[in-house]
Amino acid sequence: MNLLQIETFLEVARSGSFIAASRRLSLPSSTVSARIKAMEDRMGVTLFRRTTRKVALTSDGEHVFEVYSQAFEILSSLEPQGAAGELSGAIRLTAPIDFPMSHLAEALTSFSDRHPAVTFDVLVTDAVLDFVEDNIDIALRGRAPGADNLICRKIAAEALGLFASPEFLAAHRAQLEQGSLAGLVLFDPLEQASALGEAGRRSLRPTLRTTNMELSKAMALKSRGIALIGQALCHTELQTGALQPLPDAFPLPEVQIYLVMPSKRLLPPRVRAFVDHLVGHARHA
């Protein structure tokens, strides 16, 4: 039994339209069609009569709808609840290593204050974990959120900046004020140098290459080059003067941050509540 296929089938049946179902599920129409076809192939029956204007259930489809809609109501009623309907249970969340953890901590603690019976398992890794195999409820991801069959919601944009040590800036200030990075080492863990235009193309790639922003920042602190990394990551170093921003001669990119989940309608109430909380927190951060 494929729950995503069943969820999609129920939504198409209720809305009477593949397009309407794709909107409500936040999925491409091609994904909705593919799930229905896979379900029909697996069951060996035709579930819908399709015309150019609408779709309707066949007799087999009506039987399947009756069985699965009742099953989904039963599954929904099994969600663990605390006293007086209080949310409870565990939420497994994954976030990349370079994610701004102070913002995540604020969202977690404020949600826990409201729902103390909900517990969290937070896996911090750059690996793209599988929602099913790794038992993940939701994921925070940057740049590439994942496959087309996932629900991806943009919740924030992380501003990047160019940072270097005072010693490095003093040695190359004249060139940098002219908007040139020619011949200068650029640590670019998020591969955003192309957003800098010609300046980015003429910079030097470092002998040490990394996808980690913390290591890139550490190399900039040692005057080994310029780091193109998140501004929030450098807050302390900017306050102490250990790092300084480059002159305002370069266009600075942003990295999109996405909240990713396998499905909206299959989310347990505790997970759905945390998703709404996280989106609201990111909006006001």
Side-chain angles (χ1 to χ4, degrees):
M1 181 173 65
N2 187 308
L3 290 178
L4 292 179
Q5 291 176 7
I6 296 172
E7 175 203 25
T8 304
F9 162 75
L10 293 175
E11 196 60 62
V12 173
R14 290 182 179 123
S15 64
S17 165
F18 280 72
I19 294 176
S22 69
R23 290 199 192 103
R24 295 187 63 175
L25 294 170
S26 298
L27 288 172
S29 296
S30 58
T31 300
V32 172
S33 298
R35 286 183 181 178
I36 297 301
K37 183 179 186 305
M39 190 172 172
E40 289 179 326
D41 291 344
R42 176 171 54 83
M43 300 182 73
V45 298
T46 299
L47 298 172
F48 292 102
R49 291 188 298 271
R50 299 163 174 83
T51 69
T52 56
R53 303 183 66 179
K54 67 176 183 177
V55 296
L57 288 167
T58 63
S59 57
D60 288 323
E62 289 176 352
H63 174 70
V64 172
F65 177 80
E66 181 179 355
V67 172
Y68 280 151
S69 59
Q70 291 177 358
F72 259 61
E73 289 180 6
I74 295 173
L75 289 172
S76 298
S77 69
L78 296 178
E79 169 63 18
Q81 299 288 327
E86 178 186 8
L87 296 175
S88 64
I91 296 176
R92 282 175 61 84
L93 165 71
T94 179
I97 293 172
D98 287 324
F99 190 83
M101 292 302 166
S102 60
H103 297 313
L104 179 57
E106 290 176 5
L108 290 170
T109 53
S110 57
F111 186 84
S112 294
D113 289 342
R114 298 181 187 178
H115 307 286
V118 175
T119 62
F120 288 92
D121 293 325
V122 181
L123 288 72
V124 180
T125 175
D126 285 335
V128 179
L129 300 182
D130 185 271
F131 284 93
V132 176
E133 291 183 5
D134 298 299
N135 192 24
I136 302 299
D137 292 306
I138 52 178
L140 293 166
R141 294 176 181 170
R143 294 184 294 170
D148 288 342
N149 63 339
L150 298 175
I151 307 299
C152 305
R153 183 169 184 177
K154 176 185 169 183
I155 61 171
E158 182 180 9
L160 301 184
L162 291 163
F163 304 99
S165 69
E167 295 78 13
F168 189 94
L169 280 175
H172 303 284
R173 184 169 298 278
Q175 175 183 347
L176 294 172
E177 288 179 345
Q178 295 175 6
S180 173
L181 298 177
L184 301 181
V185 171
L186 178 65
F187 293 95
D188 181 25
L190 301 181
E191 298 181 346
Q192 296 293 306
S194 60
L196 302 175
E198 182 65 21
R201 288 188 290 273
R202 298 188 64 189
S203 64
L204 289 182
R205 298 190 68 181
T207 55
L208 185 154
R209 300 174 187 173
T210 178
T211 59
N212 184 262
M213 287 200 288
E214 281 284 357
L215 181 55
S216 299
K217 180 177 73 173
M219 297 303 290
L221 286 166
K222 291 184 175 295
S223 299
R224 294 306 179 102
I226 301 163
L228 177 56
I229 54 180
Q231 294 182 16
L233 186 67
C234 301
H235 179 72
T236 300
E237 289 78 13
L238 292 173
Q239 284 189 323
T240 62
L243 286 178
Q244 295 180 3
L246 266 62
D248 296 331
F250 304 94
L252 296 176
E254 292 183 334
V255 172
Q256 309 305 317
I257 298 175
Y258 297 91
L259 180 62
V260 186
M261 60 200 110
S263 167
K264 284 182 178 177
R265 294 179 61 85
L266 293 179
L267 291 179
R270 63 183 182 276
V271 179
R272 190 178 304 114
F274 181 65
V275 167
D276 293 339
H277 177 80
L278 196 57
V279 170
H281 183 273
R283 187 179 298 122
H284 296 99

